[in-house]
């Protein structure tokens, strides 16, 4: 369903009817897309490869909790109890709803947060759709820098509930020579069409919540 259709058969029918592009399958390799394009008699076009990213580093070591949750190991269920057990209302709850949704073994829970295996991720989008907190997004696979936080509260509030949350200090904005990162609604956001992966924002971030993939991940 990552293509926007009910399944592979529905997508294939849409391609045959001219309602969907031959490159519309997010999990197809370039070779498969070329084969479909050849069958349909169209010029191959390859979409930029995407990968899921979890915009939260609020693991059990750094994020405070409101209460101890004892219940079904499911984020949707946990979220119904006052928005979950973590003090941050934007945090990954870490109960594995995304893990159950992923058919490619590309996402796992580590120390209370979801972590994506970039090499296994097929960009199907099922983890994105399943997350009740909406902390998983699709980003270009070529990108190595991302902001591991989704909290939109003011910095003084964030500091009380998470040791690594973005405090909207805007030092990342000032460090970027490419106008690729801006603080919007109290959270740093990267414009991947401009980002060059230079890492200047990573160096300047006082909370170390802007992460480059060659670092130890949160």
């Amino acid at each position: 369903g990552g293509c926007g259709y009910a399944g592979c058969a529905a997508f294939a029918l849409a391609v045959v009817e001219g309602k969907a592009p031959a490159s519309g399958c997010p999990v197809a390799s370039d070779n498969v897309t070329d084969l479909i394009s050849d069958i349909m008699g169209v010029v191959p076009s390859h979409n930029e490869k995407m990968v899921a990213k979890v915009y939260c580093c609020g693991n059990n070591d750094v994020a405070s909790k409101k209460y101890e949750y004892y219940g079904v190991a499911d984020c949707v269920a946990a979220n119904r109890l006052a928005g979950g057990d973590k003090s941050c209302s934007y945090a990954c709850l870490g109960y594995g709803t995304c893990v159950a949704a992923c058919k490619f073994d590309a996402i796992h829970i580590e120390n209370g947060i979801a972590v994506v295996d970039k090499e296994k991720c097929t960009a199907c989008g099922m983890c994105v759709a399943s997350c009740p907190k909406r902390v998983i997004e699709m980003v270009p696979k070529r990108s190595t820098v991302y902001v591991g936080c989704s909290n939109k509260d003011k910095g003084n509030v964030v500091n009380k509930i998470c040791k690594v949350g973005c405090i909207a200090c805007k030092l990342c904005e000032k460090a970027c020579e490419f106008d690729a990162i801006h603080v919007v609604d109290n959270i740093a956001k990267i414009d991947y069409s401009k980002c060059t992966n230079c890492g200047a924002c990573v160096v300047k971030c006082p909370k170390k919540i802007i992460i480059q993939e060659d670092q130890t991940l949160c």
Side-chain angles (χ1 to χ4, degrees), residues 23-197:
S23 60
C25 175
V27 303
S29 66
D30 287 347
N31 288 338
V32 171
T33 297
D34 289 344
L35 287 170
I36 297 172
S37 300
D38 185 56
I39 291 169
M40 295 304 299
V42 298
V43 177
S45 63
H46 300 138
N47 298 323
E48 182 172 26
K49 296 299 182 183
M50 306 293 282
V51 67
K53 283 290 185 186
V54 180
Y55 282 71
C56 178
C57 283
N59 62 37
N60 293 333
D61 296 331
V62 299
S64 66
K65 290 190 175 184
K66 297 179 287 187
Y67 58 84
E68 290 297 323
Y69 173 72
Y70 298 97
V72 179
D74 176 74
C75 298
V76 175
N79 192 46
R80 290 177 179 146
L81 296 177
D85 54 345
K86 289 184 177 176
S87 299
C88 175
S89 59
Y90 300 89
C92 169
L93 296 177
Y95 290 106
T97 301
C98 55
V99 176
C102 180
K103 306 302 180 185
F104 304 96
D105 191 40
I107 189 166
H108 298 91
I109 302 301
E110 297 181 9
N111 196 21
I113 59 168
V115 178
V116 176
D117 184 331
K118 185 175 182 177
E119 298 311 312
K120 289 184 177 180
C121 180
T122 63
C124 71
M126 297 305 291
C127 59
V128 176
S130 71
C131 178
K133 291 296 188 177
R134 299 293 180 260
V135 296
I136 309 176
E137 296 182 15
M138 305 305 300
V139 303
K141 191 173 183 178
R142 60 175 168 76
S143 300
T144 63
V145 178
Y146 76 104
V147 181
C149 182
S150 295
N151 196 309
K152 296 180 181 179
D153 294 328
K154 292 183 178 180
N156 61 331
V157 176
V158 175
N159 275 330
K160 294 177 182 178
I161 58 178
C162 184
K163 295 178 182 178
V164 298
C166 176
I167 56 174
C169 65
K170 297 190 177 184
L171 290 178
C172 54
E173 278 190 13
K174 297 174 183 177
C176 183
E177 298 179 8
F178 305 97
D179 192 41
I181 187 166
H182 290 277
V183 173
V184 180
D185 293 331
N186 295 319
I187 185 74
K189 293 284 187 180
I190 295 174
D191 182 343
Y192 288 103
S193 67
K194 296 179 179 180
C195 180
T196 65
N197 297 317

